[in-house]
Amino acid sequence: MRIRFAINFKTQWGQTIQLVLNRPDGITNYYDLVVNNLSEWFVEIETEIELKKINYRYFIVNSDQSKTAAYGDSRTIEIPEGSERVNVVDYWRLPNNDRPFSSTVFADCFFNRQSTAKQTFTKNENLILSINSRHIEPDRHFAIVGNQPALGNWDVSHKVRLDETDYPIWKIALDTTDFVFPLEYKYLIVETSTDKVLAWGGGPNRKLEKIDLQTATIVHDENFLRTIHSWKGAGVAIPVFSLRSKKSFGTGEFNDLKLMIDWALKTGQKLIQTLPINDTILYHTNYDSYPYNAVSVNALHPIYLHLDTIGKLKNAERKAYYESKKKELNKKSFSDYQNVMNVKWEFFREIYPLESKKIFSSAAYKDFFNNNQEWLVPYAAFSYLRDLYGTPEFRSWAEHNYYNSKEIEVLVSPENEHYHDIAIFYFLQYLLHEQLSEVHDYARSKGIVIKGDIPIGVSSRSVDAWVEPQLFNLNAQAGAPPDDFSATGQNWGFPTYNWETMAQDGFQWWKKRFRKLSEYFDAYRIDHILGFFRIWEIPENDVWGLTGCFNPSLPLSRNEIESRGIIWDENRFLKPYMKEHVLYSIFGKYTDDVIREYLLQDGWQNYKFKPEYDTQKKIETHFARLGYSFSNKDVLIRDGLYMLHCEVLFIRDIRQPDKFHPRISMYSSATFRDLSENTRKLLDKLYIDYFYKRHTEFWKQEALKKLPALVSSTKMLVCGEDLGMVPDSVPNVMNELEILSLEIQRMPKKPNTEFAMPADAPYLSVCTTSTHDMNPLRAWWEEDANVSQRFYNRALGMQGTAPEKCEQWIAERIVEQHLESNAMWIILPLQDWIAVESTLCLDHPYAERINVPSNPRNFWCYRMHIALEKLLKEEKFNNKLKEMIEKAGR
């Protein structure tokens, strides 16, 4: 058998093309292609066996012999039976917005296609034409028409439907004996029920000059060039804990998602976006309400269990007790995390002896345990030890402070007297799995997708850090540099990742995490996707994010700094700048008190910290001791001392102590202002080069080491939260991998722009009015009258004075702007959907906010004020939303 492969591609100087062919017998062959003067790369191979199916891929070989795989998955061809000579004509693949349609969102939910009978190709059919497309609704199909009688002679009434047996490959086999070449043709999108042509493929006619009748020719035309509107949908964002129903117990539960699914269906929405739902229990206090501070990336949070379906208590008095508690907690306007958890734990401990034996003996539980024991057993042991010792700080435990699998195997043995104190966590996780799986199945049955959230970090006091500490930098803290959310940066308190160690096994920790999430969700949001390029890393003794630096990065040597004309002065550049006039500008009338209690003289009108206050963490601990007697004066002094620690121009690199990072936002510091004008100019040039140019390609390559393997580990739809200080390489990488970006009108990505326009959002994006980290529409409108006025005039195109409040018509206008966007998804917070109907709005807009990023101790407690049962009955409002969504073609 002789096979010729040909592909048209214009390489750059020094590049060549290689074909990697995987044969059915397990042998892999490598072939270097040659090029003709038409930029056609080709190779002819001869095989001694008759091949029926070939799997292959093209690679670009660069001048340094590195290889870049062609975009997309490997290609597969079926060789027509009896063929002795085969000619394969390929076209180079490029990202074409099609990858999202291979996700389970579309393949298993929206675009789930009925299987069709496979067409039988005869030996006389010597030409196969095909395209590769998933972006087609289930009530549509592809057809072909062309300049031959067999293709209808351009008469669409005689078009030919393509075979979709090998979906997403659509193909037709033709006998070209009577063809008059050149062959010209076009692909069509056809409505199946009416046989109506909805769209012709764009671009010039596809053309085939001539083929050998004795050779089987297979043409892969690859992409359909769309001339029809791309699919678009709308959805709602709401944390599970924020849901409210008559059946829930003081907070939202997994079971409440079913009512939310019903509401989404009723209003024409296709997706429900949640916040992270992993277990965050550290101290059994409201501190644990922070959903991004996971103690396990696999375990689900017990707070979301619906008690009524777990089992029934036999004691009437106890039943009445829980019923009264349920009513009491449901009356509250917020999700009362700690009190809800306290009552639920009472119930868990009472129901466990009654139901556990039956659960543990079931086949479903045994399957669950066998499939999840790798993470489930360490999680249960960790949870037991945390409660036994009263702290998640595992290094302080009397025993098992370092994880040892053999010791834990003994600890969790059923023969131990404390076994049921451990097994209760197996019990709860199984029930959570069952309830959430049921919700996922229900959503699929209604044509609704649930979107999860992958936090960028995990707690340093988590089971993951206990079991695999080598994967984390436990002496550092992850966060974000200063941005619109916080002028002093954000310190999330998570350890950063040891990516080099993670890479050694192909990022298995991440892949397992993604696969676990895919059991419950069909789409997910990567929280702070910038962290896969680089993460803002803060020293372990700091509280604020100002003195962090990016990791990985390319820190500056002293020689590099001096080569720019900057005279190196270690004391001036690295030590906190604490001149007397700086102290007075920060502390005012309290300056003398601050000097007396916290500082030491260090030269003329210069000071340094006393040893007991020489880190921000020491200052934090000192003021934490004040407890409830904490005054406004104390806040001013504490934050002023934090700021003094940030009065530096460079940060020493923790891994390479002889190298340095410019301090972020150095131009806002007193130490910068007091430099000579020439030195300020030199530092400013260095600063811009360092933060905006130096790392562009470096960070791109860092992301490409990680993200392709991770996003391909599941079939979920991938969205990235790409907000903040975004490197120039981020959009390119996300476009290459076809990861949906996040577009927010109030956080434009274009420089020198105050408001982004939803109409400018790219197709592969999620466009929204706000996120959980900012005020919803109505509260934002009242934040700053000057900003609202400019928005009113510029973004809404209105004249005159803006109303003081975000009136119903304004909210409608903003929502309509978003719905009319080109973005694939418009996903709005529930609060902003409700803003279009003033009669349903909460009286106090600021009560609708979920999180304040600048406050690391924020209590995550927002709960919708309308019960879902009532919301489902709001026919006027629901119909209004449905009409708005349908009018926008979503």
Side-chain angles (χ1 to χ4, degrees), residues 71-275:
Y71 175 79
D73 300 327
S74 296
R75 303 170 190 244
T76 301
I77 56 171
E78 292 186 15
I79 305 296
E81 188 176 349
S83 301
E84 294 183 3
R85 289 187 298 172
V86 180
N87 183 30
V88 180
V89 181
D90 283 321
Y91 289 89
W92 198 260
R93 286 178 179 169
L94 295 171
N96 69 327
N97 296 346
D98 209 46
R99 176 174 281 182
F101 295 96
S102 66
S103 69
T104 55
V105 166
F106 293 94
D108 296 342
C109 196
F110 301 155
F111 289 5
N112 190 6
R113 304 186 70 83
Q114 298 296 321
S115 59
T116 58
K118 188 178 181 71
Q119 290 185 13
T120 303
F121 298 144
T122 68
K123 291 183 179 180
N124 294 330
E125 292 167 332
N126 62 320
L127 173 62
I128 297 176
L129 303 176
S130 69
I131 55 170
N132 184 340
S133 181
R134 298 179 184 273
H135 189 173
I136 186 164
E137 288 80 347
D139 59 347
R140 300 174 181 178
H141 64 265
F142 284 108
I144 188 170
V145 67
N147 67 346
Q148 308 292 327
L151 297 179
N153 277 331
W154 295 115
D155 181 354
V156 294
S157 66
H158 292 95
K159 61 191 176 297
V160 183
R161 180 171 180 166
L162 298 185
D163 174 51
E164 60 180 289
T165 308
D166 298 323
Y167 175 85
I169 305 298
W170 301 75
K171 61 188 177 184
I172 185 172
L174 299 165
D175 179 354
T176 66
T177 304
D178 298 325
F179 276 28
V180 178
F181 285 90
L183 164 65
E184 294 189 27
Y185 57 98
K186 283 268 193 179
Y187 295 109
L188 314 169
I189 292 180
V190 179
E191 187 174 57
T192 304
S193 60
T194 64
D195 202 37
K196 179 183 177 182
V197 175
L198 300 178
W200 288 65
N205 294 342
R206 300 184 191 252
K207 197 170 185 179
L208 198 59
E209 293 290 347
K210 184 69 176 175
I211 66 171
D212 181 359
L213 292 178
Q214 305 306 313
T215 300
T217 299
I218 302 172
V219 179
H220 294 140
D221 282 318
E222 287 303 327
N223 305 327
F224 177 79
L225 302 178
R226 294 185 68 84
T227 57
I228 190 172
H229 288 301
S230 297
W231 184 95
K232 296 192 293 186
V236 60
I238 181 84
V240 176
F241 62 77
S242 298
L243 298 173
R244 180 186 292 274
S245 78
K246 294 177 181 178
K247 294 182 178 180
S248 53
F249 202 109
T251 191
E253 299 169 343
F254 288 151
N255 200 57
D256 295 326
L257 282 167
K258 292 181 181 178
L259 291 174
M260 199 68 194
I261 291 163
D262 293 341
W263 180 74
L265 184 65
K266 193 162 198 167
T267 54
Q269 299 182 68
K270 294 288 188 182
L271 182 147
I272 298 168
Q273 177 176 308
T274 67
L275 291 187

Side-chain angles (χ1 to χ4, degrees), residues 243-361:
L243 298 173
R244 180 186 292 274
S245 78
K246 294 177 181 178
K247 294 182 178 180
S248 53
F249 202 109
T251 191
E253 299 169 343
F254 288 151
N255 200 57
D256 295 326
L257 282 167
K258 292 181 181 178
L259 291 174
M260 199 68 194
I261 291 163
D262 293 341
W263 180 74
L265 184 65
K266 193 162 198 167
T267 54
Q269 299 182 68
K270 294 288 188 182
L271 182 147
I272 298 168
Q273 177 176 308
T274 67
L275 291 187
I277 53 172
N278 294 110
D279 189 353
T280 57
I281 299 172
L282 291 169
Y283 301 105
H284 295 285
T285 67
N286 283 333
Y287 176 89
D288 302 344
S289 69
Y290 183 17
Y292 288 89
N293 198 28
V295 300
S296 167
V297 297
N298 296 295
L300 301 172
H301 204 306
I303 199 169
Y304 299 126
L305 269 176
H306 183 57
L307 304 187
D308 291 349
T309 59
I310 296 177
K312 301 295 182 183
L313 297 175
K314 297 177 181 178
N315 186 300
E317 186 177 329
R318 296 303 294 166
K319 285 182 182 179
Y321 165 77
Y322 287 113
E323 191 59 35
S324 67
K325 281 293 182 182
K326 178 180 177 179
K327 290 178 181 178
E328 174 190 328
L329 292 166
N330 276 339
K331 285 181 181 178
K332 296 191 176 186
S333 61
F334 63 97
S335 177
D336 191 355
Y337 178 90
Q338 184 173 338
N339 287 319
V340 169
M341 279 308 302
N342 288 343
V343 178
K344 284 199 170 186
W345 269 111
E346 285 186 69
F347 183 85
F348 297 155
R349 293 189 179 100
E350 286 190 59
I351 203 69
Y352 174 79
L354 303 176
E355 299 292 335
S356 58
K357 186 175 180 180
K358 180 178 69 176
I359 291 289
F360 289 160
S361 62

Side-chain angles (χ1 to χ4, degrees), residues 741-784:
S741 64
L742 179 60
E743 309 297 326
I744 305 177
Q745 193 165 26
R746 291 180 243 162
M747 293 189 69
K749 294 173 181 174
K750 189 182 295 183
N752 305 315
T753 303
E754 187 172 16
F755 308 112
M757 293 306 292
D760 297 330
Y763 177 63
L764 289 188
S765 69
V766 174
C767 193
T768 187
T769 47
S770 57
T771 76
H772 60 273
D773 282 330
M774 53 179 67
N775 268 321
L777 273 179
R778 294 190 308 128
W780 170 74
W781 192 269
E782 298 177 26
E783 269 182 26
D784 187 325

Side-chain angles (χ1 to χ4, degrees), residues 593-629:
D593 295 341
V594 169
I595 292 173
R596 183 170 53 254
E597 185 167 355
Y598 302 102
L599 309 179
L600 295 172
Q601 189 88 27
D602 189 30
W604 173 248
Q605 292 189 341
N606 196 58
Y607 296 88
K608 64 180 181 181
F609 283 103
K610 290 180 179 180
E612 56 267 39
Y613 305 112
D614 62 3
T615 71
Q616 290 183 354
K617 281 289 177 71
K618 289 180 180 179
I619 293 167
E620 181 184 49
T621 301
H622 167 74
F623 281 92
R625 296 192 188 105
L626 298 178
Y628 290 110
S629 62

Side-chain angles (χ1 to χ4, degrees), residues 11-12 14-18 32-33 41 59-62:
T11 57
Q12 296 180 3
Q15 292 179 333
T16 58
I17 305 294
Q18 186 178 76
D32 294 322
L33 279 65
W41 291 84
F59 286 81
I60 296 174
V61 181
N62 300 303

